[in-house]
Amino acid sequence: MTAEKPFSFKETLGKLPKEVIPRDYSIRIVPNIDKLTFNGTETVKVDVHKPVRRLVLNALELEIREASLDGKPLSKSAIKIEKERELLILALPSELAAGDHTLALSFSGKINQQGQGLFYMRYQEQGSPAAAEKKTMLGTQFEATDARRFFPCWDEPAFRARFQLSVVVPENWLAVSNMPIESEKKIAGGKEVCFAATPPMSSYLNVFVAGELDLIESRSGQTQIRVITTKGKAELGRYALEVTAQILQYYNDYFGVPYPLPKLDQIALPGGFGGAMENWGGITYYESALLFDPKNSSAKTKQVIYEVIAHETAHMWFGDLVTMAWWDNLWLNEGFASWMGSKCTAHFNPQWEVWLQRSVPRDPTRRAGIPKEAAMEGDARSTTHPIQQRIATETEANSAFDDITYKKGQSFLRMLESFLGEDVFRDGIHSYIAAHKYSNTTTADLWNALSEASKKPIGEIAAGWTEQPGFPVIRVEREGDGKVQLTQERFTVNFKSAPPLEWKIPLTYSVVDEAPATLLMTGKIETLQNIPADRELKLNVNGAGNYRVEYDEPSWKLLLEVLPKLGVEDRVNLLSDAWALVQAGRAPVSLYFGLVGKLPASAELAECEQIINVLDFINRLLVNSPERKDFQRCARSLLRPRFETLGWEPKERELRAAGNLRASLINALGDLNDPEIIAGCRERFEKYLANPASLAPDLRPSVLAVVGRYADEKTWSRLHELGLKTTSIEEKQNYYSALAESIESRLVKKTLPIALTDELPTSRAIFLVPAVARDSGHADIAWEFAKANMKTLLAKTDAAGANRYAASLFTFFSDTSRADELRSYAKANLPPASAPEVAKVLDEVQFRGEFKKRLAPQLNAWIDMKLTTNAHP
Ligand SMILES: [Zn+2]
């Protein structure tokens, strides 16, 4: 491994020459909403460091009308667009001397349907009937490389500059950008709004949103906080407003540098994209990730909103104030914001068990999972990559936004923090932010700051985790005389001749009932001393480390006996490791079910969810298999007792987690074909139709899903009508997700075409197809539909989404003929940029096929055992 160097502007990767640096942009945009186009002008003050003969910057799908330099027009022939490389090249009539110069451009571009560059959203206004004409609003999405679709710019993160935006919008619109409005004046056809100039920042952090909007606001210290929504929904932003103030204060304190802009806007968009985007001072959210309706939103939604706000607001420092130099270090932004967001959420909401809970995936094709587990699953495969990876092109920059970047990054930081201690870690972050504010960094800068604070060689420890793929499993073997031998090797799943790797592992362990200890494991083998043969030894305390543990039989047996004494974090960790060992072929499935059988009867939410995930995985794997029915009976018998303890109705004074657990169990038991649950859901749905308040918001997604799953034509239509009618994005999603569940192939064929309509926000509509592929058990019908309508579907998503889409539909197949089909489809139809996604899915299909074969006899043995010992499944 070659150690990375600290940030240097000159040596930062990228396409643009570094002799010319933009300092100040002044941009004026005039959208034409009827024609879905816009006109723009801009002047850019540039520093020329060395004489140049041409100017090279980025532009994409823009037409350049005129260009001039220092007031002198350039000829038409001097203006060249290189479409493939997304460059605008201006040939200069003579050499341009070093010093300050001013470039002026006029241009035009288009307003997109999908969330890239400037885009439009059409939505039903709150309180309007379903048949009313939809409203239109505008928004932008620039990360990673789409600012260049809005105005010509040096669109690489190391080119920081001040941006001053003016826009012309209809008079009754509210316009929002990174900074407060400086002036506003009426002009023909609307009003011109000028925003204050930003501090020096990367181009991808610009934002512009406009429409018929409402807002609520408050202050936190010097900062104005606003939640901005479409008309009629502002009050639903109350929770987000309160949460933002709390989080802002926590971060001001944690980072040691107060939030640097005069205002922070949290903006709800009714479409465009599915997640959230940390534009400096004007964060955009998919509406259901920001707005909370106390009467109708579930507790899960509340938690998601908190987590997303905490993540995005952390970016105001990590990402915006200090920005990664180049996309190969994207994890510095995302891994850090994920870790910081979870830490902050856990601090204020300990009852949510943030580190253990399933997170909600950013799009429905991704499986929900405990963040660390989701990252480790992908990281064990042959298709993984290091956290820090080479990024050469724009497409590669877009594909860097994956679980490894977000979740392994987060998981590694958590391991490091628990090894160094919270205070030392925070001291390091303090000096890192202070030293690099309004500038860019590499990972090396972060490690240097942490090394200084901790007096430990962090760079050396970290290299194995961020610069090489994968992670280790530690084998634990009792050797007698109180000695325990620990051996590390690379942990893999479905990856035969994996290159062997080693890590410096910040290890934690405890002899049960004694204080935990730490150890930096630096070689392949390490020996622990003085561990009595009859004492239980647990490695990876609280599961905070990013590695697996494989115990020898004596150690495992001791642990099984003391399970009730372990904390829930440790029990979840044992469950996760046991299941991973089964997947890797290192242990039989009886190891996992043996552990499940020994858990205390009062198993907590996180444990149950881990088990539900595993049962769900097997249940989907067995679609069309003869053993499925018996498996479902046995699986139900594992979950039923837990549901019966909880009951259908929320009780007074039960833990908040009980509501989530109840919802999860209803969903899982419904999937497992539990007749009582199905009947119970139908009954509650009927009451809900008559009186929506009769069904607790926490239970709605689950009850609707089960009802949708076993729906007849009439029920399907009722769900569909409800989906059409509501103006709440969260509720809409609940209804359409329920439609996607239907197992009746006739209804599957009715659900799929909805993806082509504008019933759902553009960015969400196409994910109805993968949801059907996953939930209905009819992945084949979903794929045939998508194949026939691919062009229309892909027009609704951006390039990165398009690269993933076709392959994602194969995820739930497990026969090799499907792998062949995907291979040849990709060859004939998909761009080279989709190759990594295709490879991942091919690996998944192959793994599922192999695993299914391997699992069958073991599962049959378990089923026989269950059915003979269990009187009432
Ligand atoms: Zn982020």
Side-chain angles (χ1 to χ4, degrees):
M1 281 169 279
T2 50
E4 189 190 41
K5 296 201 183 88
F7 171 64
S8 130
F9 176 73
K10 274 207 175 112
E11 282 168 44
T12 297
L13 293 171
K15 230 179 257 170
L16 301 176
K18 301 220 166 47
E19 288 82 30
V20 179
I21 303 172
R23 293 294 176 211
D24 285 285
Y25 291 81
S26 175
I27 306 150
R28 182 175 188 269
I29 300 287
V30 186
N32 183 329
I33 294 132
D34 298 326
K35 290 192 177 144
L36 296 176
T37 58
F38 64 89
N39 287 323
T41 52
E42 72 177 359
T43 57
V44 193
K45 291 188 181 136
V46 297
D47 273 4
V48 176
H49 284 204
K50 241 176 31 192
V52 289
R53 289 301 308 258
R54 54 184 208 160
L55 297 178
V56 183
L57 56 159
N58 294 109
L60 182 60
E61 297 197 324
L62 291 179
E63 191 191 320
I64 310 299
R65 301 231 164 107
E66 279 163 19
S68 70
L69 190 64
D70 297 329
K72 293 183 206 95
L74 297 177
S75 69
K76 272 265 178 236
S77 64
I79 305 170
K80 212 175 114 205
I81 289 273
E82 272 196 29
K83 194 167 173 258
E84 283 295 298
R85 299 173 68 212
E86 304 184 2
L87 294 177
L88 165 61
I89 299 176
L90 302 169
L92 305 178
S94 58
E95 193 173 76
L96 186 65
D100 294 347
H101 297 277
T102 303
L103 171 68
L105 295 164
S106 74
F107 51 92
S108 59
K110 58 177 197 174
I111 304 177
N112 295 302
Q113 181 190 15
Q114 65 287 62
Q116 52 186 12
L118 179 63
F119 63 92
Y120 66 88
M121 289 151 277
R122 299 212 201 280
Y123 62 96
Q124 280 164 261
E125 194 166 76
Q126 181 86 325
S128 70
E133 201 185 325
K134 289 194 173 181
K135 296 277 184 179
T136 301
M137 68 177 281
L138 298 178
T140 57
Q141 168 60 32
F142 295 150
E143 193 182 25
T145 57
D146 286 323
R148 64 191 67 171
R149 291 173 189 268
F150 193 48
F151 57 98
C153 56
W154 281 258
D155 197 13
E156 292 179 1
F159 286 90
R160 294 182 94 91
R162 293 173 192 278
F163 296 87
Q164 193 269 308
L165 179 70
S166 309
V167 290
V168 174
V169 294
E171 234 190 302
N172 63 336
W173 280 27
L174 175 68
V176 186
S177 185
N178 306 81
M179 297 293 284
I181 292 172
E182 209 169 53
S183 68
E184 206 175 286
K185 64 171 187 245
K186 275 188 198 172
I187 58 166
K191 61 180 177 184
E192 175 158 0
V193 182
C194 296
F195 299 96
T198 69
M201 68 175 197
S202 304
S203 50
Y204 77 90
L205 293 170
N206 277 285
V207 66
F208 163 56
V209 173
E212 291 179 41
L213 306 177
D214 267 355
L215 62 87
I216 49 173
E217 62 177 294
S218 70
R219 289 198 83 80
S220 165
Q222 297 297 306
T223 314
Q224 179 195 35
I225 306 172
R226 304 192 296 179
V227 175
I228 295 170
T229 69
T230 56
K231 271 245 148 51
K233 288 188 173 177
E235 224 14 76
L236 304 180
R238 189 61 61 189
Y239 176 65
L241 193 71
E242 283 161 13
V243 161
T244 303
Q246 183 177 60
I247 292 171
L248 206 55
Q249 199 170 11
Y250 178 84
Y251 289 159
N252 279 337
D253 196 35
Y254 190 91
F255 289 111
V257 172
Y259 176 74
L261 304 186
K263 63 102 177 164
L264 174 58
D265 288 333
Q266 310 282 23
I267 309 164
L269 300 184
F273 59 86
M277 175 61 211
E278 69 266 22
N279 319 295
W280 211 4
I283 308 175
T284 44
Y285 297 80
Y286 185 56
E287 192 179 287
S288 60
L290 189 67
L291 301 189
F292 181 77
D293 178 352
K295 280 204 203 84
N296 294 303
S297 296
S298 70
K300 192 77 204 170
T301 298
K302 194 174 199 175
Q303 185 179 341
V304 169
I305 290 170
Y306 201 105
E307 284 180 356
V308 178
I309 294 178
H311 175 109
E312 298 307 325
T313 307
H315 274 311
M316 299 298 103
W317 287 262
F318 245 90
D320 298 1
L321 182 60
V322 181
T323 313
M324 83 244 129
W326 180 245
W327 301 105
D328 55 351
N329 268 311
L330 176 65
W331 92 278
L332 266 185
N333 280 8
E334 297 305 345
F336 193 92
S338 300
W339 168 80
M340 186 83 251
S342 296
K343 185 180 169 73
C344 170
T345 307
H347 175 82
F348 289 109
N349 309 279
Q351 77 282 10
W352 287 347
E353 300 176 348
V354 171
W355 296 110
L356 295 177
Q357 295 288 303
R358 289 198 280 180
S359 62
V360 171
R362 291 189 306 158
D363 71 53
T365 60
R366 299 182 176 205
R367 287 194 19 239
I370 302 168
K372 190 184 83 173
E373 292 305 318
M376 287 174 96
E377 243 178 62
D379 203 18
R381 305 296 185 86
S382 61
T383 47
T384 187
H385 60 80
I387 286 181
Q388 288 177 267
Q389 53 178 335
R390 225 188 93 80
I391 301 285
T393 65
E394 280 74 14
T395 331
E396 284 174 10
N398 279 314
S399 70
F401 292 81
D402 67 2
D403 278 353
I404 299 287
T405 301
Y406 281 75
K407 295 172 179 170
K408 187 181 182 184
Q410 153 172 10
S411 180
F412 175 65
L413 289 170
R414 183 173 176 230
M415 177 164 73
L416 200 57
E417 187 203 24
S418 80
F419 183 69
L420 298 180
E422 285 184 85
D423 294 343
V424 171
F425 193 84
R426 178 174 142 155
D427 288 347
I429 300 299
H430 263 225
S431 47
Y432 170 85
I433 294 281
H436 302 287
K437 59 184 177 185
Y438 301 106
S439 182
N440 296 62
T441 54
T442 68
T443 301
D445 293 306
L446 179 62
W447 298 155
N448 288 344
L450 287 170
S451 296
E452 228 161 85
S454 68
K455 312 287 175 230
K456 287 196 170 81
I458 304 303
E460 267 175 51
I461 299 172
W465 299 92
T466 64
E467 295 172 25
Q468 62 184 17
F471 59 89
V473 54
I474 299 169
R475 271 188 292 127
V476 176
E477 283 157 303
R478 305 262 179 170
E479 298 218 297
D481 298 339
K483 286 187 184 144
V484 177
Q485 184 174 291
L486 308 178
T487 314
Q488 66 157 302
E489 63 180 277
R490 183 172 182 182
F491 181 82
T492 60
V493 171
N494 197 40
F495 186 9
K496 289 273 155 39
S497 41
L501 296 170
E502 255 180 50
W503 287 261
K504 290 189 167 54
I505 309 174
L507 203 68
T508 52
Y509 64 94
S510 75
V511 173
V512 176
D513 285 341
E514 285 178 20
T518 58
L519 167 78
L520 185 65
M521 184 169 177
T522 54
K524 186 155 179 65
I525 297 177
E526 194 83 52
T527 306
L528 301 179
Q529 311 280 354
N530 303 321
I531 313 280
D534 60 346
R535 295 296 303 280
E536 309 80 9
L537 170 70
K538 167 80 179 47
L539 266 67
N540 196 358
V541 176
N542 293 335
N546 194 76
Y547 50 88
R548 302 272 181 216
V549 182
E550 184 180 318
Y551 297 92
D552 62 1
E553 213 179 308
S555 304
W556 184 249
K557 278 193 172 146
L558 287 170
L559 280 171
L560 286 186
E561 295 316 312
V562 293
L563 280 180
K565 273 188 165 173
L566 299 179
V568 61
E569 292 91 348
D570 279 319
R571 293 202 300 261
V572 171
N573 176 238
L574 289 176
L575 283 165
S576 305
D577 277 2
W579 177 243
L581 294 172
V582 174
Q583 289 194 312
R586 286 172 168 267
V589 79
S590 57
L591 178 95
Y592 177 78
F593 284 122
L595 173 61
V596 171
K598 292 268 187 182
L599 290 173
S602 61
E604 292 183 45
L605 173 63
E607 291 164 87
C608 286
E609 294 217 316
Q610 201 287 336
I611 298 166
I612 287 171
N613 266 353
V614 168
L615 296 177
D616 178 68
F617 181 85
I618 299 175
N619 189 37
R620 292 186 200 289
L621 200 61
L622 296 183
V623 167
N624 303 328
S625 296
E627 49 289 60
R628 196 180 195 209
K629 226 175 151 190
D630 284 337
F631 166 77
Q632 291 184 338
R633 273 175 80 188
C634 297
R636 293 199 300 264
S637 75
L638 287 182
L639 301 180
R640 256 334 265 259
R642 289 174 170 103
F643 179 72
E644 267 146 32
T645 325
L646 285 171
W648 280 96
E649 303 308 326
K651 296 178 189 66
E652 257 180 72
R653 284 192 199 196
E654 63 182 4
L655 290 176
R656 191 210 66 101
N660 278 356
L661 180 56
R662 183 179 289 114
S664 285
L665 286 167
I666 290 172
N667 218 334
L669 285 163
D671 271 359
L672 292 167
N673 213 355
D674 186 308
E676 248 176 88
I677 293 287
I678 297 169
C681 286
R682 284 181 172 149
E683 193 190 312
R684 280 162 184 82
F685 179 61
E686 290 304 326
K687 284 191 193 144
Y688 169 76
L689 288 175
N691 172 19
S694 67
L695 186 56
D698 285 0
L699 294 190
R700 284 180 203 170
S702 299
V703 167
L704 293 173
V706 175
V707 167
R709 189 164 181 75
Y710 303 99
D712 55 13
E713 191 111 23
K714 190 173 151 215
T715 310
W716 188 97
S717 300
R718 284 156 114 188
L719 287 166
H720 188 206
E721 270 159 39
L722 289 166
L724 279 171
K725 214 168 72 189
T726 179
T727 53
S728 152
I729 299 280
E730 181 188 354
E731 283 180 18
K732 220 179 245 302
Q733 200 62 55
N734 286 345
Y735 294 124
Y736 284 88
S737 297
L739 295 179
E741 291 269 343
S742 173
I743 53 177
E744 192 76 54
S745 55
R746 204 165 28 89
L747 297 178
V748 169
K749 288 175 188 159
K750 278 180 79 167
T751 306
L752 288 166
I754 297 173
L756 305 173
T757 69
D758 63 356
E759 289 180 27
L760 283 166
T762 307
S763 57
R764 297 285 84 192
I766 64 163
F767 292 113
L768 198 59
V769 185
V772 167
R774 183 193 53 204
D775 294 328
S776 72
H778 293 289
D780 48 343
I781 304 180
W783 168 238
E784 286 308 318
F785 171 83
K787 199 163 57 174
N789 297 285
M790 196 59 85
K791 220 177 146 198
T792 324
L793 290 167
L794 293 190
K796 296 187 178 210
T797 187
D798 59 11
N803 285 338
R804 272 188 213 121
Y805 192 70
S808 75
L809 293 165
F810 281 77
T811 308
F812 300 96
F813 289 128
S814 57
D815 40 286
T816 46
S817 64
R818 290 294 186 175
D820 297 338
E821 188 181 348
L822 172 57
R823 217 174 271 120
S824 51
Y825 181 83
K827 212 171 153 193
N829 300 288
L830 298 180
S834 62
E837 281 308 314
V838 171
K840 264 186 221 169
V841 175
L842 287 174
D843 174 67
E844 182 66 21
V845 175
Q846 211 232 336
F847 164 69
R848 281 175 191 242
E850 181 275 326
F851 191 45
K852 194 167 155 180
K853 243 181 262 162
R854 175 153 55 89
L855 206 59
Q858 300 180 23
L859 218 46
N860 284 332
W862 177 70
I863 290 169
D864 285 346
M865 189 268 292
K866 273 310 258 188
L867 292 182
T868 47
T869 56
N870 221 320
H872 26 223

